[in-house]
Amino acid sequence: MRNLVFSLTVLCLCMTAASRASGQQATTSPTVPTPTTGNQSVNAATFRGPHWTDKVTAAAAAVGANGGTIIVPDSIADNGSATTLQVPSNITLEFPGNGTFTFCSISMGKFSKMTASAGAALVESGTGCAGIQFTGATPTLQDSDHPSLHGIRIGCDKQPSSTGITIGPGTSGGTAMYDLEDVEVTGCTAVGILATSMQFSHWRNVHLQQNYVNLKLYGSGAGSSNIFDGLKTDSNGSGVNVIVVNNSNTQDAGGNVFINPQLQNGTVASMAVIGDAGNYSPNVVIIGSQPE
């Protein structure tokens, strides 16, 4: 009988100690994940940093050479304009919610991607913001991968000298294969989207409104072999919705095809196609639609 009581006492003490240990373990801080292999998917909310751009920067550093997707939830949405976010070439940023994320400039890598599935908004704060910019190493037609923006909404919020999306000029000699779908840019005091020497891109359902100029297609070759499917431009501040300029006398600017564009309220011109003196005039094809 004594042995039984002693055994029960020991058992109770062990269970109590285990319960206390378990309770103590549950109150410790979570460990920051460190991806090791494969195409990782990590949540930026689990990383440290004062603002959402800092948390994403830390997540990208942790993913490292393995690459992967960084989830950017509404729970970390705040003003991250003090940090210029660098998105490596092997990273996809995914915004699953509908929060508002404040920024000034986000520098994208050669094959960086960004997607929003539920209406998340990126709103600029600051002077001279370049917005989402692809200006470093850029892809060529020979590359098997390409950068893309899907479902992204950018608001420049009338900040001074602001641009929503900047594409090129690239440092690697090529600015090709950009994929934009369901992208919206509004309220930029410089230009909604500025693309320089862009080639072989495909845009679908891109909506630009309330920008000083909604779209500028500039540079050597002005941009060539690009397809703009269902481009919508409206409420520009300059009187011109789209400006296409070629500043080269050696590089032709051909094959820019606009399919069913809606170029609204161009009080000066819905589209201005300009060839600088001594340079090739750009070639633009419009299929369908009716400017207003």
Side-chain angles (χ1 to χ4, degrees):
M1 185 69 177
R2 286 183 189 174
N3 290 339
L4 178 59
V5 171
F6 177 78
S7 299
L8 288 173
T9 302
V10 172
L11 177 60
C12 290
L13 289 173
C14 291
M15 291 179 66
T16 301
S19 177
R20 287 175 179 171
S22 176
Q24 291 172 351
Q25 186 176 13
T27 58
T28 58
S29 300
T31 302
V32 174
T34 304
T36 54
T37 59
N39 190 0
Q40 305 294 311
S41 179
V42 299
N43 192 321
T46 63
F47 293 84
R48 295 184 176 89
H51 299 291
W52 79 270
T53 47
D54 303 293
K55 296 179 191 298
V56 173
T57 297
V63 170
N66 298 301
T69 298
I70 298 176
I71 308 298
V72 189
D74 286 354
S75 62
I76 64 171
D78 65 357
N79 189 338
S81 60
T83 300
T84 296
L85 175 59
Q86 306 282 337
V87 182
S89 180
N90 59 1
I91 293 295
T92 295
L93 295 188
E94 182 177 331
F95 295 83
N98 59 1
T100 298
F101 297 80
T102 304
F103 79 113
C104 182
S105 297
I106 297 176
S107 181
M108 305 289 281
K110 185 175 182 179
F111 304 125
S112 300
K113 300 170 179 62
M114 190 180 297
T115 180
S117 56
L122 298 174
V123 178
E124 293 185 12
S125 176
T127 299
C129 294
I132 298 175
Q133 52 181 334
F134 296 88
T135 57
T138 53
T140 66
L141 186 60
Q142 288 73 35
D143 287 313
S144 59
D145 199 357
H146 60 275
S148 65
L149 299 173
H150 287 190
I152 299 299
R153 295 192 302 139
I154 301 171
C156 288
D157 202 28
K158 299 297 183 181
Q159 298 296 292
S161 304
S162 53
T163 298
I165 299 173
T166 304
I167 298 176
T171 59
S172 65
T175 308
M177 301 293 287
Y178 290 88
D179 187 358
L180 277 68
E181 183 172 15
D182 296 331
V183 171
E184 179 180 293
V185 181
T186 61
C188 302
T189 55
V191 57
I193 299 181
L194 172 61
T196 303
S197 301
M198 183 179 67
Q199 293 181 297
F200 310 109
S201 70
H202 192 180
W203 298 15
R204 296 171 298 280
N205 193 35
V206 173
H207 188 188
L208 312 174
Q209 64 169 325
Q210 300 171 21
N211 306 295
Y212 183 70
V213 175
N214 284 311
L215 170 63
K216 287 184 179 181
L217 190 58
Y218 272 26
S220 178
S224 59
S225 302
N226 300 296
I227 297 176
F228 304 89
D229 192 349
L231 175 68
K232 300 175 181 66
T233 63
D234 190 14
S235 302
N236 55 293
S238 65
V240 182
N241 270 303
V242 178
I243 302 177
V244 183
V245 177
N246 184 19
N247 55 17
S248 172
N249 58 12
T250 59
Q251 179 69 45
D252 191 10
N256 293 303
V257 180
F258 292 80
I259 302 172
N260 292 324
Q262 297 177 21
L263 312 178
Q264 309 295 328
N265 299 316
T267 56
V268 176
S270 289
M271 179 183 293
V273 182
I274 303 169
D276 287 347
N279 297 329
Y280 286 107
S281 296
N283 175 262
V284 170
V285 176
I286 299 177
I287 300 174
S289 189
Q290 176 63 49
E292 294 184 11

